[in-house]
């Protein structure tokens, strides 16, 4: 399905990362992948994961708060792949103290950091990737229902995800004429490193599993499969959307 397609994945931290499940789905569909890791802290993890299943994948250091690393990443992936067909953005961060208690107490630094890393980075990466998407392309990011509805403890991350989802629409409008599509996947809660930073995660997961039409939590592999669909020609008419992969939780009233 994605044979001869080349893409770059941001946000693999460990084997539980949604980005890793996405990489596996893309790899299975035949795509060639490059990976970035945030810093030395995560390099060994990403190297160990890719060595076994995708040994030829370029690994590049890229902290999105460092513009020079972003520029170097796209220079290197351009040299290695010649062009890009897709980009997976699976990055988010907010200081831990901002993810508990009242949203009201969010301080300026926490707000700016959360919005910069979790929302602005999509625009930053899309701008760098677009010139390499010479045959059109697909950009996919990960969001959460907390962008639209209040989840206690999700706080500033919900505000950042709202900005992210809006960015998806503006980017889709800007890049559509170049046949570059931009979409978000709104995943149900999944036990990952980032998710464990959100207070009340297990309560949230239990509630989702009880209320969702499918009566269970979503698997990371299901998010990965949807990302693979969004990167391929089967989704060629879809752009600017937020697609829920949450076992249907978001459709429920009472
Ligand atoms: O329930 C969940 N797990 C959901 C996650 C439900 C719905 C959406 N999402 C979103 C997250 O908000 C995020 O956008 O999916 C995306 C991936 O999250 P994940 O797979 O749950 O979490 P994780 O495996 O921790 O990957 C996020 C990674 C970082 O990991 P850590 O935990 O080390 O902060 O984002 C990366 C980093 O690898 N990251 C950065 N990458 C580059 N530059 C930066 C940065 N400055 N900061 C964080």
């Amino acid at each position: 399905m994605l044979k001869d397609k080349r893409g770059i994945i941001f946000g693999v931290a460990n084997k539980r990362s949604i980005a890793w499940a996405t990489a596996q789905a893309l790899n299975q569909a035949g795509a060639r992948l490059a990976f970035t890791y945030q810093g030395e802290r995560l390099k060994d993890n990403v190297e160990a994961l890719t060595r076994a299943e995708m040994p030829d994948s370029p690994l590049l250091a890229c902290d999105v708060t460092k513009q020079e690393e972003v520029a170097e990443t796209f220079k290197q992936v351009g040299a290695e792949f010649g062009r890009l067909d897709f980009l997976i953005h699976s990055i988010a961060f907010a200081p831990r103290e901002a993810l508990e208690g009242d949203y009201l107490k969010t301080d300026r630094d926490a707000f700016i950091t959360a919005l910069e890393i979790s929302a602005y980075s999509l625009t930053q990466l899309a701008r760098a990737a677009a010139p390499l998407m010479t045959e059109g392309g697909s950009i996919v990011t990960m969001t959460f229902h907390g962008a639209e509805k209040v989840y206690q403890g999700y706080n500033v991350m919900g505000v950042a995800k709202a900005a992210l989802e809006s960015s998806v629409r503006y980017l889709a409008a800007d890049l559509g004429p170049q046949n570059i599509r931009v979409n978000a996947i709104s995943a149900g809660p999944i036990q990952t490193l980032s998710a464990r930073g959100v207070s009340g995660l297990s309560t949230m997961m239990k509630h989702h599993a009880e209320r969702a039409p499918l009566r269970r939590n979503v698997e990371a592999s299901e998010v990965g499969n949807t990302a693979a669909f969004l990167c391929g020609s089967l989704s060629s008419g879809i752009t600017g959307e937020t697609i829920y992969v949450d076992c249907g939780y978001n459709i429920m009233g009472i």
Side-chain angles (χ1 to χ4, degrees):
M1 188 171 88
L2 294 174
K3 217 172 155 345
D4 302 325
K5 299 281 186 196
R6 302 143 205 206
I8 185 163
I9 303 196
F10 292 80
V12 177
N14 60 30
K15 68 174 195 296
R16 290 176 192 272
S17 296
I18 293 173
W20 179 242
T22 301
Q24 289 178 304
L26 291 163
N27 179 51
Q28 250 170 29
R32 223 178 130 195
L33 304 174
F35 292 85
T36 65
Y37 53 90
Q38 187 194 344
E40 288 307 311
R41 169 179 78 94
L42 296 174
K43 184 178 182 188
D44 291 350
N45 280 356
V46 179
E47 219 164 28
L49 279 174
T50 55
R51 197 181 298 126
E53 292 180 42
M54 309 161 208
D56 299 331
S57 296
L59 305 185
L60 307 161
C62 186
D63 181 329
V64 294
T65 63
K66 298 179 181 149
Q67 183 53 40
E68 64 285 2
E69 288 189 11
V70 173
E72 185 59 26
T73 293
F74 284 92
K75 198 171 137 200
Q76 288 199 26
V77 83
E80 189 87 27
F81 282 179
R83 64 159 209 275
L84 271 180
D85 301 303
F86 60 84
L87 180 151
I88 306 295
H89 174 276
S90 188
I91 290 173
F93 177 78
R96 184 171 271 268
E97 63 276 12
L99 298 175
E100 56 195 18
D102 286 354
Y103 169 70
L104 183 64
K105 68 173 175 45
T106 309
D107 69 26
R108 183 184 303 265
D109 283 350
F111 188 95
I112 290 170
T113 299
L115 272 282
E116 179 188 4
I117 298 176
S118 315
Y120 178 68
S121 62
L122 178 70
T123 303
Q124 176 188 21
L125 298 182
R127 194 166 57 240
L132 291 173
M133 293 184 162
T134 48
E135 296 179 15
S138 176
I139 296 173
V140 178
T141 186
M142 302 298 167
T143 186
F144 182 61
H145 196 212
E148 279 184 51
K149 302 288 179 194
V150 173
Y151 279 66
Q152 271 175 23
Y154 202 62
N155 295 0
V156 71
M157 191 55 81
V159 176
K161 292 301 192 192
L164 181 72
E165 291 177 14
S166 185
S167 300
V168 162
R169 293 185 282 272
Y170 280 91
L171 290 169
D174 285 350
L175 295 171
Q178 297 166 55
N179 196 28
I180 298 171
R181 300 181 292 112
V182 188
N183 291 288
I185 295 174
S186 187
I190 298 169
Q191 286 269 12
T192 62
L193 202 61
S194 289
R196 267 183 262 137
V198 178
S199 60
L201 175 74
S202 42
T203 314
M204 191 196 295
M205 291 192 69
K206 188 165 172 283
H207 184 77
H208 263 249
E210 283 168 4
R211 297 286 314 278
L214 298 182
R215 297 289 189 277
R216 61 176 177 84
N217 289 121
V218 75
E219 304 278 342
S221 60
E222 296 175 305
V223 177
N225 288 340
T226 306
F229 161 72
L230 286 172
C231 289
S233 59
L234 289 177
S235 62
S236 57
I238 302 175
T239 194
E241 294 294 337
T242 296
I243 297 180
Y244 280 86
V245 182
D246 66 345
C247 297
Y249 178 86
N250 78 96
I251 67 163
M252 299 304 289
I254 54 167

